[in-house]
Amino acid sequence: MRETNFVGSCIRKGSSSDQDDEPSPPPKRRKTATTQSKQPKPKTSTTAPIAKPKNTKSKRKPNPKSKPLALLTPPSNPLPPSLPPSRHHPQTYHHPLLLTSPQSRSALLSWFTKVHSSRLMPWRKPFLSPLTTPRPLLAKRAYEVWISEIMLQQTRVATVISYWNRWMEKWPTMEDLASAKEDEVLSLWQGLGYYSRAKRVHEAAQVVVNEMGGLLPAEVGELVEKVPGVGRYTAGAIAAIVFGRAEAMVDGNVVRVLSRQLGVYGDAKGKEVVEGIWEVAGELARVVAGEEEEVSEVPGRWGQALMELGSTVCTPKPNCEDCSITATCRAYHEGLALAKGEEGGNVLGDIEDACGICHSWEEEEEDDEETKRQKTRSTGIQQTVSDYFAKLSRQEEDEDGAEVPDCRQMQIIVNHARKFPLRKPKKKVREEEIVVCAIRRRSDGKYLIHQRPEKGLLANMWELPSHTLPPTTGNSIAARQMESERYVTQLLTKTKAGSGDGKRKREMPTSVGVIRRGGEVANVPWVFSHLRLTMHVHGFVLKDQSVTQGSSDPRSKWASVDEINEVSMGTGMRHCWEHVRGLGYLGLESSSDESESRERSQTTRNRIPK
């Protein structure tokens, strides 16, 4: 579940975009005479059971100020595949064929029933009807799904499983989480990244407990508006999976699946494409839900089936041969037409109806490195063997009577489908180097640590004192050592009252007892979504028991090894600390200790690539 930043804050794992599920304003509704005549909607009680929703279709009114999207407008006649290089077609070409193919929708749900248990996800549980389930059980189920969806943003499923299990063991209910301390929440979240998610989850739990009686709302608009950190993806997932509502769930995997289903070769981050995919996903959810009861497990299963398909089959390099909905896939049929040697005709009737979503076809992608490797592998004896079996398979048909592509044709189909959606070049990640200074007081063995600002990257996390290296600093150990000593000097310099003139005297670091400069003990690379960081770890030991500089700031303190092991610390900084803790800076009282530590430090530098 979750990769590209296609839907902004609503996309789950895959890339490392440092964005959370930001709330978006609820859609505005136009007041009409009809709506004004209705009785005002009563406030939802925090103790009342979940009421059966009325016909949700009648509530979904289009915004009169917005132009209807052509993606949901079917063409007057069936359109043939629009082939490159021109790919001229009207917007109606992208009408989702899944809307008119109950066989394909049923095939996808049947496939999901067979495979959903193959990846053991502890948050996947049988559907509990909100009409009959006791409130405490429903609240716990909503809480479990919510936590899983937040954790899965920008994070792989395999990584999330162990975190989710530990989380539920420590805080099994919303009330338990609301009463926890923020430091505890950040500590357990350590390693998942994007720590603002943990802070918002903690804040949201307190809101839900104090204002909603511990049960998350069932309506998407209310979830987005009232629960911190919940955007329309997470809201849709909760509404569909927990409450059985016909709501869309669009993550990066669904973006990829629907882009190929619709044949949309457009900017995956463009507003028009984003809104178009959400509109189609919402209509599909309503059509699927309309085939069953108004409240059922079907909407949740449908949304999860699309995501599962995108994460296991319709991947960036798709396995089209195992896909259950190729019959409705525009990208698949375009690839099949190319494989058969068909030429691209103009399926556009009137130039005024031309699609304004798709970009010009990128011909240079035809000979990218992956395609070249595939062409190389298909030569020689391997090609001869595949040609032999291709002749046998050309006459085969599947259960529906459709011709089954041979090996060569399937490779062309895959190469064509993998171009969807359009991928823009990634921006270059900024690079930065810092010195991390492990400053230990020999008298009590404590280290100086700082707490980061309340906002920004790694907000409120603890760290060893760190300093960004100026661009003018040479890329050498000696230059970094000099810069780290200068930084520690400023950090630990004492100030004393002057002789009656109000001035203060600054003392040099020798006055604060620097007895050992341990040099550079490690180089720790760490990558954020927007920043490639290299942390150069330097060690210092102080002999003066009275040294307190750096701890006068309420966000700084001297802490023992055990205390540092327990504080909330970013994963990269935690690696730095592990190097410090394991390389002898716990005790350098004797010259023999210094010699041994120097040898270990040099060995570590030799092991770590620069």
Side-chain angles (χ1 to χ4, degrees):
M1 304 180 181
R2 306 277 169 244
E3 340 275 287
T4 176
N5 192 22
F6 176 61
V7 291
S9 61
C10 308
I11 291 184
R12 293 197 231 184
K13 63 137 188 139
S15 76
S16 299
S17 179
D18 191 12
Q19 296 191 16
D20 293 301
D21 205 7
E22 300 286 355
S24 57
K28 296 181 180 179
R29 297 182 181 274
R30 183 181 62 169
K31 292 183 179 181
T32 62
T34 303
T35 57
Q36 292 173 352
S37 64
K38 291 184 179 180
Q39 295 296 326
K41 184 177 179 180
K43 295 183 178 180
T44 304
S45 171
T46 57
T47 58
I50 300 298
K52 182 176 181 179
K54 297 180 181 180
N55 188 352
T56 56
K57 294 181 181 180
S58 62
K59 294 182 180 181
R60 296 179 177 274
K61 298 180 180 181
N63 188 339
K65 296 182 180 180
S66 63
K67 183 180 179 180
L69 291 172
L71 299 185
L72 295 179
T73 303
S76 56
N77 296 303
L79 298 176
S82 178
L83 304 182
S86 62
R87 283 195 94 239
H88 293 316
H89 53 264
Q91 279 198 20
T92 54
Y93 177 76
H94 301 302
H95 178 72
L97 301 179
L98 273 172
L99 285 176
T100 56
S101 178
Q103 298 87 351
S104 293
R105 297 195 297 271
S106 177
L108 179 59
L109 290 172
S110 298
W111 170 82
F112 180 65
T113 300
K114 295 177 183 177
V115 304
H116 82 281
S117 60
S118 61
R119 294 199 300 168
L120 299 177
M121 303 180 197
W123 51 85
R124 281 185 176 174
K125 298 181 179 180
F127 178 71
L128 302 176
S129 173
L131 306 179
T132 57
T133 302
R135 183 184 180 90
L137 288 180
L138 189 63
K140 180 175 176 58
R141 179 63 184 138
Y143 169 67
E144 292 174 343
V145 172
W146 171 54
I147 294 299
S148 71
E149 294 299 333
I150 297 297
M151 286 185 171
L152 285 164
Q153 294 169 13
Q154 309 291 341
T155 311
R156 297 181 181 278
V157 171
T159 301
V160 168
I161 290 176
S162 61
Y163 279 90
W164 189 89
N165 285 330
R166 289 197 298 271
W167 185 285
M168 289 301 159
E169 183 178 352
K170 189 173 183 65
W171 303 300
T173 67
M174 187 79 75
E175 290 76 10
D176 295 325
L177 176 60
S179 62
K181 295 181 179 179
E182 183 179 285
D183 285 346
E184 294 178 320
V185 176
L186 290 172
S187 179
L188 196 148
W189 195 274
Q190 183 177 302
L192 278 176
Y194 311 106
Y195 293 93
S196 58
R197 292 183 296 174
K199 295 183 64 177
R200 288 180 179 175
V201 161
H202 187 231
E203 178 188 353
Q206 295 173 336
V207 170
V208 173
V209 170
N210 296 331
E211 301 179 12
M212 306 175 189
L215 177 62
L216 287 163
E219 296 287 346
V220 167
E222 193 175 359
L223 282 162
V224 171
E225 182 179 4
K226 297 182 178 180
V227 183
V230 171
R232 59 177 173 175
Y233 164 75
T234 302
I238 294 172
I241 297 174
V242 179
F243 298 102
R245 304 296 178 91
E247 298 291 350
M249 303 159 55
V250 179
D251 70 345
N253 294 313
V254 175
V255 167
R256 187 166 52 251
V257 171
L258 292 184
S259 291
R260 291 168 178 171
Q261 281 284 314
L262 306 178
V264 172
Y265 187 71
D267 183 3
K269 296 182 181 180
K271 181 178 179 181
E272 188 174 17
V273 175
V274 171
E275 294 303 324
I277 293 292
W278 272 95
E279 187 77 10
V280 169
E283 186 64 22
L284 284 170
R286 291 188 286 274
V287 169
V288 171
E291 297 167 357
E292 299 290 339
E293 299 177 1
E294 289 183 338
V295 174
S296 72
E297 67 174 346
V298 175
R301 290 183 64 243
W302 171 258
Q304 291 179 90
L306 284 174
M307 290 188 291
E308 187 78 5
L309 186 74
S311 63
T312 60
V313 177
C314 196
T315 56
K317 183 183 177 182
N319 182 11
C320 298
E321 192 172 4
D322 290 341
C323 182
S324 57
I325 52 174
T326 54
T328 57
C329 182
R330 287 288 191 187
Y332 177 90
H333 286 288
E334 289 177 17
L336 180 59
L338 291 173
K340 291 180 177 180
E342 298 179 9
E343 296 183 359
N346 187 358
V347 300
L348 180 63
D350 192 333
I351 191 63
E352 294 183 356
D353 298 328
C355 174
I357 299 176
C358 292
H359 286 221
S360 300
W361 192 253
E362 300 291 343
E363 289 294 338
E364 62 271 17
E365 291 189 8
E366 296 291 346
D367 291 322
D368 60 14
E369 292 301 321
E370 180 64 22
T371 304
K372 290 178 180 178
R373 287 194 294 269
Q374 292 167 354
K375 289 179 179 179
T376 302
R377 288 196 297 266
S378 64
T379 58
I381 298 176
Q382 198 170 11
Q383 179 64 42
T384 304
V385 174
S386 64
D387 286 344
Y388 171 75
F389 285 103
K391 294 178 181 178
L392 299 180
S393 64
R394 285 192 185 101
Q395 303 303 321
E396 294 181 0
E397 295 182 349
D398 62 17
E399 296 178 357
D400 297 328
E403 182 180 349
V404 177
D406 58 42
C407 297
R408 181 191 63 83
Q409 291 174 332
M410 185 58 70
Q411 189 62 64
I412 294 175
I413 293 171
V414 169
N415 287 339
H416 181 74
R418 64 191 289 266
K419 293 178 172 60
F420 296 82
L422 176 65
R423 296 182 294 274
K424 293 287 186 178
K426 294 182 179 180
K427 294 182 179 179
K428 186 177 180 180
V429 177
R430 178 169 58 90
E431 296 186 3
E432 191 173 282
E433 295 188 55
I434 65 173
V435 287
V436 177
C437 300
I439 307 170
R440 175 182 175 271
R441 225 166 32 186
R442 190 178 68 173
S443 58
D444 56 10
K446 291 187 175 182
Y447 287 81
L448 183 63
I449 58 175
H450 289 172
Q451 190 174 29
R452 293 182 62 84
E454 295 181 357
K455 296 183 179 180
L457 184 65
L458 303 176
N460 278 341
M461 305 293 280
W462 289 91
E463 65 180 8
L464 298 172
S466 305
H467 170 65
T468 302
L469 291 173
T472 55
T473 303
N475 188 21
S476 67
I477 295 178
R480 293 193 292 267
Q481 178 70 36
M482 183 178 299
E483 187 66 24
S484 66
E485 291 178 6
R486 187 189 66 80
Y487 170 63
V488 171
T489 298
Q490 294 179 347
L491 191 65
L492 296 178
T493 297
K494 287 184 177 180
T495 60
K496 293 184 178 180
S499 56
D501 57 359
K503 297 181 179 179
R504 293 165 26 120
K505 179 181 178 181
R506 301 181 63 85
E507 296 183 357
M508 298 307 294
T510 52
S511 300
V512 298
V514 178
I515 63 168
R516 174 80 167 100
R517 294 173 175 84
E520 190 168 282
V521 300
N523 299 290
V524 179
W526 201 252
V527 180
F528 299 93
S529 60
H530 63 293
L531 176 65
R532 188 182 302 275
L533 193 64
T534 303
M535 295 176 279
H536 305 286
V537 185
H538 291 252
F540 296 85
V541 180
L542 309 179
K543 68 179 179 180
D544 191 345
Q545 186 174 0
S546 65
V547 173
T548 59
Q549 275 63 35
S551 59
S552 58
D553 184 347
R555 303 187 71 84
S556 299
K557 66 180 180 179
W558 291 93
S560 66
V561 172
D562 291 338
E563 289 173 330
I564 296 177
N565 289 338
E566 295 298 323
V567 299
S568 302
M569 192 175 273
T571 307
M573 186 59 65
R574 181 66 66 181
H575 287 322
C576 294
W577 166 244
E578 293 299 332
H579 280 291
V580 172
R581 191 178 64 170
L583 286 177
Y585 285 95
L586 300 183
L588 295 178
E589 287 76 14
S590 67
S591 58
S592 60
D593 289 336
E594 292 188 24
S595 176
E596 182 181 353
S597 177
R598 189 181 300 109
E599 292 179 3
R600 285 198 295 264
S601 299
Q602 184 61 43
T603 302
T604 302
R605 287 199 299 270
N606 293 337
R607 287 201 308 263
I608 300 175
K610 291 184 174 60

